[in-house]
Amino acid sequence: MADAIRALAIDAVEAAKSGHPGMPMGMADVATVLFTKFLKYDAADPRWADRDRFVLSAGHGSMLLYALLHLTGHAGMGTDELKRFRQLHSPAAGHPEYGEHPGIETTTGPLGQGIATAVGMALAERMMAARFGVSLVDHRTWVIASDGDLQEGVSHEAASLAGHYGLSKLCVLWDDNHISIDGDTALSFTDDTLKRFQAYGWATRRVDGHDPDALAAAMAWATRSRKPVLIACRTIIGLGAPTKAGTAGSHGSPLGAAEAAAAKEALGWTAAPFTVPDDIKAGWEAAGRRSAGTRRSWLKRLAKHPQQGEFDRAIAGRLPESWHEALAALRAKHAEEKPKLATRVSSQRALEALVPSVPEMVGGSADLTGSNNTNVKGIPAIAPGNFAGRFVHWGVREHGMAAAMNGMALHGGIIPYSGTFLVFSDYLRPAVRLAALMHTRVIHVLTHDSIGLGEDGPTHQPVEHLASFRAMPNVFVFRPADAMETAECWELAVKRADGPSLLALSRQNLPALRTDTGENRCARGGYVLAEASGPRKATLIATGSELSLAMEARAALEADGIPTAVVSLPCWEIFAAQDASYRDQVLGSALRVGIEAAIGFGWERWLGADGIFIGMGGFGASAPAEDLYRHFGITTDAVTAAVKKRVA
Amino acid sequence: MADAIRALAIDAVEAAKSGHPGMPMGMADVATVLFTKFLKYDAADPRWADRDRFVLSAGHGSMLLYALLHLTGHAGMGTDELKRFRQLHSPAAGHPEYGEHPGIETTTGPLGQGIATAVGMALAERMMAARFGVSLVDHRTWVIASDGDLQEGVSHEAASLAGHYGLSKLCVLWDDNHISIDGDTALSFTDDTLKRFQAYGWATRRVDGHDPDALAAAMAWATRSRKPVLIACRTIIGLGAPTKAGTAGSHGSPLGAAEAAAAKEALGWTAAPFTVPDDIKAGWEAAGRRSAGTRRSWLKRLAKHPQQGEFDRAIAGRLPESWHEALAALRAKHAEEKPKLATRVSSQRALEALVPSVPEMVGGSADLTGSNNTNVKGIPAIAPGNFAGRFVHWGVREHGMAAAMNGMALHGGIIPYSGTFLVFSDYLRPAVRLAALMHTRVIHVLTHDSIGLGEDGPTHQPVEHLASFRAMPNVFVFRPADAMETAECWELAVKRADGPSLLALSRQNLPALRTDTGENRCARGGYVLAEASGPRKATLIATGSELSLAMEARAALEADGIPTAVVSLPCWEIFAAQDASYRDQVLGSALRVGIEAAIGFGWERWLGADGIFIGMGGFGASAPAEDLYRHFGITTDAVTAAVKKRVA
């Protein structure tokens, strides 16, 4: 049966003239044991909520996954799809792409991401089980990982988290083939990997990756473990290929016609390309139905379960009906009280309204809980052995956190949000990119969002981070200016179901600028906060902490007889999606001045050829915040002077 | 003597009303033993090339370092500087900033970076010793690291590298204080850290961090180790503070006047603020002179050394006189042969000219050597126990690689360059940011720079990465268009001594566009590659692989009677630094069309309000490259159609 995987991988890579045959050929035996004996799934319903999750962390071996989906009888992965491996619009893309086929649990390819995402899935399983009980939530997470996955730093962060929380239903099958692209892994990689994982609190074992009985015994042992499990499966990459097996030559390019034919001969595989003999296919399809009865029993349990509606709602990602009532009340309160708060504190107020109303929201912080203000009073944190909580202490592990958050969102039933400093978003960027690509709902609370953080200096002061994420497709970057906008942006972030949202929040206090409570004005991405008293001579466009500075400058300019409008632009991506007439009306045709305590890169879009940008020209410095604003010339005076020079 | 550190840390943090007293107070004993008994340095010459390197990876404890520099008699860190801790223009910044004082070896603060940078320093020491002999190069690298440093993924990558290469002269003193910002480290961190490091091939030991004799014994043991060493120093954070010691309360904010006074009383410290009793100061200054004799002997050895000139030149970062002759010859050859090559291959040709001429260039790749084309025939790779090479197999560890490269550059004597895919620059971004901040010369070869890589799909296709790095201050992003430009950009990158350079290079072949061999035209960042045949109706502005497409479009437009110029813009940062008249002349006043197989974010700067951008609107897809260019509408036809619509 495993040879069917090998043959299909050879055929698809040959047809595409591109791809990675070595890994599917090497791991075919491991995958066969997993998919025919252990993995709980039903090919008839790949989205069954209580299925085991399977993550191919070594995403370059995508043909392994496609072959498995095909062989086990999943709809939408027929021979035609395999023949179009790596072609435009094929679900059989170069690397597994979430959304291309329901049997693909997550997008993989960037090494280390899959294993870290799987940790989030396994954590979500425990938390959902704590909420809904094991009669509804009781499944495992299986991962196939490569040497490269384990070399990446994010694997350390994720494995350490899994060990800490004791995620015993997680099993990583390591493709221990001693080969990476440069050659023998010993060129650069001589860790005692099992010992490393033991140090994290994992159970580990070695097994011959081509011995089905030994593999079955090891996987059975894994299902009994009280710790997360790493099984080192000693394999031969490209097994079957007569000259390339066991070498990097089988890793990332087609075997070539001659070697492909010889490989099939060596395997005794005589079927035509893309063809699987009926008896073998029947065996695979039976494996694909193995858990059908288990699924039917589960469906019956669900139908009778008192929390059925809530479970379905959470899994589907639909918000509770009254989810934003408390938030609406908070906005009304802000309008009345006009609180002067750091937006990170305003964010905490918003969370105090949201989190009790949205039971699937799960918060956290990368060891900056008190600084990110992501915790909510009365909402307990999870702890090893106790998953009845809704806050995660992620430790100083931004990357592992963000990748695990992706896994929680993909698992379903959880809307993860978490926190670190905006400057450290660089650490978690690869995981945000995957969230954007996968359209997953994760929310990153990124505080200390400018030189306004003061004395910690340039290592801690983001200047290019807003631009760097505005450049990333499908990411919403919110930078609210006061408590009201913060509540509005939180509403938009939670409502957004098709991609990640980042909230850039200030460390320093900011005055209230808004007292209206009707519509969510941030919902258009940008709006006129204060119109000019006459025909506009200038439009000051600002975000976040600089919006109040713009208002002060407006007051000074108006006092000097220069009609000036102020535009708030809390979310560029949403604003860009408005129709042109609205955007033109907001931005106006007068002199435009952009004000943001960050690099101006990208601001030209809103300022036009004649606009002025007032912000940072380089990295920050270590000093009290007020000194820095003065030092870098981001002041009311600088704005008024620049305007006067042009409109006088 | 250690109490002097504690008192100064208390005073400076109180004066600044901001800072981190806990770590300097907790690690004062460890640092005292290190600086008075083991560290090889001479306060009279902090840049002595054969000094031991000391890296404060836990950069938030910056007052520990400033106190040490002050006490040991370093110029430029007097009482006045300490009093201005965390104030504008003070060398005593919130976190240690490279360049602010010669005794600061590297900028730290973002956790994990320091330890990984130190691995690069230790590696550089071995490679320099292999080149110049141990009579000139024989020093250690000492690191103080926090729990947070060890939780970050980059610590895994770096520690694994150090273990692999057996960097036995590296010693990490871990501040094992059981406290992180959220509280007890056990909240999120239950690794058996010593076991983890043993798994990497390190020697480990535990010691009482407040017992000077035990510390001295442990450090002495470290100097005899044949492996890199991790010493877990069990300390009490904020030791001395009566109520805050041992708690997160002493970590990141001033103790407060009462607690500060009580702490000094508990320590028996009666001197006035910022004052150190003469006898104690004398003891410290003696420690600062401990290795003065060693340094004098070394200077004598250097003066007589046959490689003195070469050593001085390499350490100073001056290139050899004839460094670019072979490169000039290569450019002449390109002009003649007009090779059609992928720019990654052109880059390899450039390296074949440069690397033999510049002995301090050290290459590498994060396990993509054959794809990045960073290797040069005849230049051996280093290996455990053999550092007489100039290529590093970094493994699948982009982040550790880039941080270590920073360390190699900071160490002096090495110009590191290395490779990965452009899309994985996200993994190493935090280290590039530090290189930019520190003005260090590191070069990243980032291949497979667009959808032009084809079938590997959107996880491997950068679209936002050019913009994200163009937004980062002090980074030069080069995207050459053909073999000639690639050689020119390499020349500029190697010559650039004050910051990192990134080279974005194609996987796919690109035609030769340049046959001139005179000046380095990329040296102005952008230039007119082909002038219009008459008064310009349109200017096509492109980079890299899209420049040939622009030339094709120009030909079609000219044939249709539309005078069209083509501008190559290989380095925006250099072009932006040219005077406005040159820029205006190059870009012209006709319709501007930007063409780049990437997100348009930032292009508005060159295109003005009326320009057109032809490129990517979102993520890529998995298909052959030509199909993707067509699918995403980045074609000659699209360019000509867009121009005709506007100028017809």
Side-chain angles (χ1 to χ4, degrees):
Chain A
M1 285 176 79
D3 288 340
I5 298 173
R6 295 190 174 97
L8 289 172
I10 292 171
D11 292 341
V13 173
E14 289 300 311
K17 298 191 190 66
S18 152
H20 301 76
M23 192 279 212
M25 295 173 76
M27 286 296 278
D29 298 311
V30 174
T32 300
V33 172
L34 178 62
F35 272 68
T36 60
K37 292 195 159 63
F38 291 92
L39 191 75
K40 181 171 78 169
Y41 69 107
D42 184 352
D45 182 8
R47 302 309 292 169
W48 168 30
D50 200 35
R51 71 192 179 279
D52 283 1
R53 268 50 168 187
F54 171 68
V55 173
L56 185 71
S57 192
H60 53 273
S62 58
M63 262 313 299
L64 179 71
L65 178 56
Y66 305 146
L68 288 162
L69 295 174
H70 172 73
L71 290 165
T72 51
H74 283 76
M77 195 58 82
T79 308
D80 287 351
E81 281 77 14
L82 297 187
K83 285 183 178 168
R84 302 202 70 257
F85 177 53
R86 297 183 150 235
Q87 306 307 306
L88 205 55
H89 307 308
S90 169
H95 291 79
E97 302 287 343
Y98 178 75
E100 291 291 340
H101 186 282
I104 299 171
E105 298 283 4
T106 181
T107 296
T108 50
L111 290 172
Q113 295 295 326
I115 184 171
T117 302
V119 168
M121 291 177 177
L123 185 55
E125 193 268 351
R126 291 290 72 202
M127 296 178 75
M128 288 290 280
R131 183 173 168 204
F132 293 104
V134 290
S135 73
L136 291 190
V137 184
D138 184 13
H139 54 266
R140 299 182 175 278
T141 304
W142 302 86
V143 181
I144 286 184
S146 63
D147 298 299
D149 285 304
L150 303 187
Q151 290 179 65
E152 290 286 0
V154 68
S155 80
H156 157 59
E157 299 182 17
S160 174
L161 282 164
H164 174 71
Y165 284 113
L167 303 178
S168 58
K169 292 163 83 178
L170 173 68
C171 178
V172 174
L173 301 158
W174 168 30
D175 181 11
D176 181 19
N177 62 24
H178 293 212
I179 292 294
S180 70
I181 291 175
D182 277 5
D184 193 302
T185 50
L187 270 177
S188 61
F189 184 48
T190 40
D191 293 2
D192 180 342
T193 299
L194 299 197
K195 188 169 179 177
R196 170 160 80 98
F197 276 74
Q198 289 159 17
Y200 297 134
W202 290 48
T204 66
R205 187 182 269 205
R206 288 185 192 283
V207 64
D208 176 349
H210 301 300
D211 177 342
D213 292 337
L215 284 165
M219 292 186 210
W221 165 77
T223 63
R224 297 187 302 266
S225 172
R226 292 164 170 270
K227 300 174 174 179
V229 169
L230 177 74
I231 301 177
C233 308
R234 183 69 179 93
T235 64
I236 296 167
I237 189 171
L239 184 78
T243 70
K244 294 187 176 176
T247 78
S250 70
H251 166 78
S253 46
L255 296 180
E259 179 93 358
K264 286 193 186 174
E265 196 178 320
L267 298 170
W269 188 267
T270 55
F274 293 107
T275 308
V276 179
D278 287 347
D279 56 330
I280 296 178
K281 187 74 166 75
W284 272 110
E285 288 179 358
R289 288 188 301 266
R290 259 176 49 246
S291 304
T294 307
R295 180 172 70 91
R296 282 191 297 271
S297 307
W298 180 88
L299 284 170
K300 281 180 201 151
R301 286 201 301 280
L302 175 65
K304 286 186 288 193
H305 199 283
Q307 290 170 283
Q308 183 199 358
E310 188 66 359
F311 181 82
D312 284 343
R313 186 191 62 68
I315 287 287
R318 288 192 309 271
L319 295 169
E321 280 200 17
S322 58
W323 72 276
H324 60 333
E325 281 175 14
L327 198 63
L330 177 69
R331 284 168 55 198
K333 188 159 170 270
H334 285 335
E336 197 170 312
E337 296 182 356
K338 305 177 194 60
K340 182 175 178 167
L341 298 172
T343 47
R344 62 180 172 136
V345 177
S346 302
S347 167
Q348 192 168 33
R349 301 278 166 91
L351 287 169
E352 284 162 2
L354 277 167
V355 173
S357 310
V358 184
E360 49 272 30
M361 283 181 73
V362 170
S365 171
D367 195 42
L368 290 167
T369 300
S371 298
N372 300 145
N373 302 76
T374 42
N375 56 335
V376 172
K377 221 176 163 177
I379 300 289
I382 61 164
N386 180 3
F387 297 94
R390 290 169 56 200
F391 190 87
V392 183
H393 288 289
W394 292 106
V396 189
R397 304 184 186 93
E398 299 84 3
H399 198 178
M401 169 178 83
M405 287 166 69
N406 288 351
M408 296 168 90
L410 291 167
H411 176 278
I414 289 177
I415 299 174
Y417 72 91
S418 197
T420 186
F421 289 159
L422 177 57
V423 82
F424 299 138
S425 62
D426 279 348
Y427 280 87
L428 52 78
R429 190 171 172 88
V432 174
R433 185 174 210 263
L434 280 182
L437 197 50
M438 294 191 286
H439 296 268
T440 48
R441 173 159 50 189
V442 296
I443 303 169
H444 292 284
V445 176
L446 302 168
T447 68
H448 297 58
D449 71 347
S450 76
I451 53 166
L453 67 85
E455 292 88 345
D456 273 347
T459 53
H460 284 55
Q461 291 160 355
V463 294
E464 74 279 24
H465 297 74
L466 295 170
S468 81
F469 280 107
R470 286 169 179 156
M472 190 182 278
N474 199 34
V475 176
F476 281 8
V477 180
F478 293 99
R479 190 166 187 250
D482 69 353
M484 182 72 78
E485 280 200 357
T486 305
E488 291 180 347
C489 290
W490 258 112
E491 184 175 278
L492 297 168
V494 170
K495 205 153 59 178
R496 179 175 200 225
D498 62 351
S501 298
L502 314 186
L503 289 146
L505 303 172
S506 76
R507 177 187 184 223
Q508 72 272 33
N509 283 341
L510 302 175
L513 301 172
R514 287 263 310 280
T515 55
D516 54 295
T517 59
E519 56 165 347
N520 180 331
R521 300 185 75 186
C522 293
R524 303 200 74 172
Y527 61 92
V528 179
L529 175 65
E531 194 41 277
S533 63
R536 286 191 201 176
K537 286 268 197 179
T539 303
L540 311 181
I541 310 167
T543 77
S545 45
E546 284 66 66
L547 192 64
S548 57
L549 192 155
M551 288 297 280
E552 288 167 22
R554 174 184 180 273
L557 289 165
E558 289 272 357
D560 285 346
I562 302 173
T564 303
V566 168
V567 167
S568 178
L569 213 56
C571 182
W572 290 20
E573 296 77 23
I574 298 178
F575 187 66
Q578 306 302 304
D579 53 52
S581 67
Y582 176 76
R583 292 202 311 265
D584 291 346
Q585 174 202 325
V586 168
L587 298 176
S589 53
L591 171 68
R592 296 178 187 172
V593 183
I595 314 168
E596 187 167 68
I599 291 290
F601 192 87
W603 266 92
E604 293 87 353
R605 173 163 193 181
W606 311 122
L607 302 180
D610 301 318
I612 297 169
F613 177 72
I614 301 214
M616 298 294 290
F619 292 112
S622 171
E626 317 82 70
D627 295 355
L628 291 174
Y629 271 91
R630 226 172 8 251
H631 177 67
F632 290 110
I634 308 174
T635 61
T636 309
D637 286 350
V639 174
T640 55
V643 170
K644 285 179 184 169
K645 204 170 157 187
R646 290 281 290 277
V647 306
Chain B
M1 286 174 78
D3 289 339
I5 297 174
R6 294 189 173 97
L8 289 172
I10 292 171
D11 292 341
V13 173
E14 288 300 312
K17 299 191 189 68
S18 153
H20 301 75
M23 191 282 212
M25 295 172 76
M27 285 297 279
D29 297 311
V30 174
T32 300
V33 173
L34 177 63
F35 273 68
T36 60
K37 292 196 158 65
F38 292 91
L39 192 75
K40 180 172 81 169
Y41 67 107
D42 184 351
D45 181 8
R47 303 308 292 168
W48 169 31
D50 200 36
R51 71 193 178 278
D52 283 0
R53 269 50 169 185
F54 170 69
V55 172
L56 187 71
S57 191
H60 54 273
S62 57
M63 263 312 298
L64 178 71
L65 178 56
Y66 305 146
L68 288 162
L69 294 175
H70 173 73
L71 290 166
T72 51
H74 283 76
M77 195 59 81
T79 308
D80 287 351
E81 281 77 14
L82 297 187
K83 285 183 177 167
R84 301 201 69 256
F85 177 53
R86 294 184 151 237
Q87 306 306 307
L88 205 54
H89 307 306
S90 169
H95 291 80
E97 302 287 343
Y98 179 75
E100 291 290 342
H101 186 280
I104 299 171
E105 297 282 4
T106 180
T107 295
T108 50
L111 291 172
Q113 296 296 325
I115 183 171
T117 302
V119 168
M121 291 176 177
L123 184 56
E125 192 269 349
R126 290 289 74 204
M127 295 178 75
M128 289 290 280
R131 183 174 169 202
F132 292 103
V134 291
S135 73
L136 291 191
V137 184
D138 183 13
H139 54 266
R140 299 182 175 279
T141 305
W142 302 86
V143 181
I144 287 183
S146 64
D147 298 300
D149 285 303
L150 303 188
Q151 290 179 66
E152 290 286 1
V154 69
S155 78
H156 157 59
E157 299 182 17
S160 175
L161 281 164
H164 174 71
Y165 284 112
L167 303 178
S168 59
K169 292 164 82 177
L170 172 68
C171 177
V172 174
L173 302 158
W174 167 30
D175 181 12
D176 181 19
N177 62 24
H178 293 210
I179 292 293
S180 71
I181 291 176
D182 277 5
D184 193 302
T185 49
L187 270 176
S188 60
F189 184 47
T190 40
D191 292 3
D192 180 341
T193 299
L194 299 198
K195 188 169 179 176
R196 169 159 81 97
F197 275 74
Q198 288 159 18
Y200 298 133
W202 288 50
T204 68
R205 188 182 267 205
R206 289 186 190 283
V207 67
D208 176 348
H210 301 300
D211 178 342
D213 293 337
L215 284 165
M219 290 185 211
W221 165 79
T223 63
R224 296 187 303 267
S225 172
R226 291 162 170 269
K227 299 174 174 180
V229 169
L230 177 75
I231 301 176
C233 308
R234 183 69 180 95
T235 64
I236 295 166
I237 189 170
L239 184 79
T243 70
K244 293 187 175 176
T247 77
S250 69
H251 166 77
S253 47
L255 296 180
E259 179 93 0
K264 286 192 185 174
E265 197 178 319
L267 297 170
W269 189 266
T270 55
F274 293 105
T275 308
V276 178
D278 287 345
D279 56 331
I280 295 179
K281 188 74 167 75
W284 273 109
E285 288 179 358
R289 288 187 301 266
R290 259 176 49 247
S291 305
T294 308
R295 180 171 71 91
R296 280 191 299 271
S297 308
W298 181 89
L299 285 169
K300 282 180 201 151
R301 286 200 301 280
L302 176 64
K304 286 185 287 190
H305 200 282
Q307 290 170 285
Q308 184 199 358
E310 187 66 358
F311 182 85
D312 284 344
R313 186 191 63 68
I315 286 287
R318 287 193 309 273
L319 295 169
E321 282 200 18
S322 58
W323 72 276
H324 62 332
E325 281 175 14
L327 198 63
L330 178 69
R331 284 168 56 199
K333 189 159 169 269
H334 285 335
E336 196 171 312
E337 297 183 356
K338 306 178 191 59
K340 182 174 178 168
L341 297 172
T343 47
R344 63 179 171 138
V345 177
S346 302
S347 166
Q348 193 168 31
R349 301 279 166 89
L351 287 169
E352 285 161 2
L354 278 167
V355 173
S357 312
V358 185
E360 49 272 31
M361 284 181 73
V362 170
S365 171
D367 195 42
L368 290 167
T369 300
S371 299
N372 300 145
N373 301 76
T374 43
N375 55 334
V376 171
K377 223 175 160 176
I379 300 289
I382 62 164
N386 180 2
F387 296 94
R390 290 169 56 200
F391 189 86
V392 183
H393 288 288
W394 291 106
V396 189
R397 305 184 185 93
E398 299 84 4
H399 198 179
M401 168 178 83
M405 286 165 69
N406 289 350
M408 295 166 91
L410 291 167
H411 177 279
I414 289 178
I415 300 175
Y417 72 92
S418 196
T420 186
F421 289 159
L422 177 56
V423 83
F424 300 137
S425 63
D426 279 348
Y427 279 88
L428 52 79
R429 191 172 171 88
V432 174
R433 187 175 208 264
L434 282 181
L437 197 50
M438 294 190 285
H439 296 268
T440 47
R441 173 159 51 189
V442 295
I443 302 170
H444 292 283
V445 175
L446 303 168
T447 68
H448 297 59
D449 72 347
S450 76
I451 53 165
L453 66 85
E455 293 88 343
D456 273 348
T459 53
H460 284 55
Q461 291 161 356
V463 294
E464 75 278 24
H465 298 73
L466 295 170
S468 80
F469 279 107
R470 286 171 180 155
M472 191 182 277
N474 199 34
V475 176
F476 281 8
V477 180
F478 294 100
R479 190 168 188 250
D482 69 355
M484 183 72 78
E485 280 200 359
T486 304
E488 290 180 349
C489 291
W490 258 112
E491 184 175 279
L492 298 168
V494 170
K495 204 154 59 177
R496 179 175 200 224
D498 62 351
S501 298
L502 315 185
L503 289 146
L505 303 173
S506 76
R507 177 189 185 222
Q508 72 273 31
N509 283 341
L510 302 175
L513 301 171
R514 288 262 310 280
T515 55
D516 55 293
T517 58
E519 57 167 345
N520 180 331
R521 301 184 73 186
C522 293
R524 301 200 76 171
Y527 61 93
V528 179
L529 174 65
E531 193 42 277
S533 62
R536 285 193 203 175
K537 287 269 196 179
T539 303
L540 311 182
I541 310 166
T543 76
S545 45
E546 284 67 64
L547 191 63
S548 56
L549 192 153
M551 288 298 279
E552 287 167 23
R554 174 183 179 275
L557 289 165
E558 290 272 356
D560 285 348
I562 302 172
T564 302
V566 168
V567 167
S568 179
L569 213 57
C571 183
W572 290 20
E573 297 75 24
I574 298 178
F575 187 66
Q578 305 303 305
D579 55 52
S581 67
Y582 176 76
R583 290 203 311 266
D584 291 346
Q585 173 202 325
V586 168
L587 298 175
S589 53
L591 170 69
R592 297 178 187 172
V593 182
I595 315 169
E596 187 167 68
I599 291 292
F601 192 87
W603 267 92
E604 291 87 353
R605 172 161 194 185
W606 310 122
L607 302 182
D610 300 318
I612 298 169
F613 177 72
I614 300 217
M616 298 293 291
F619 292 112
S622 171
E626 317 82 69
D627 295 355
L628 291 174
Y629 271 91
R630 226 173 7 249
H631 176 66
F632 290 111
I634 308 173
T635 61
T636 309
D637 286 351
V639 174
T640 55
V643 170
K644 285 180 185 171
K645 206 171 154 187
R646 290 282 289 279
V647 305

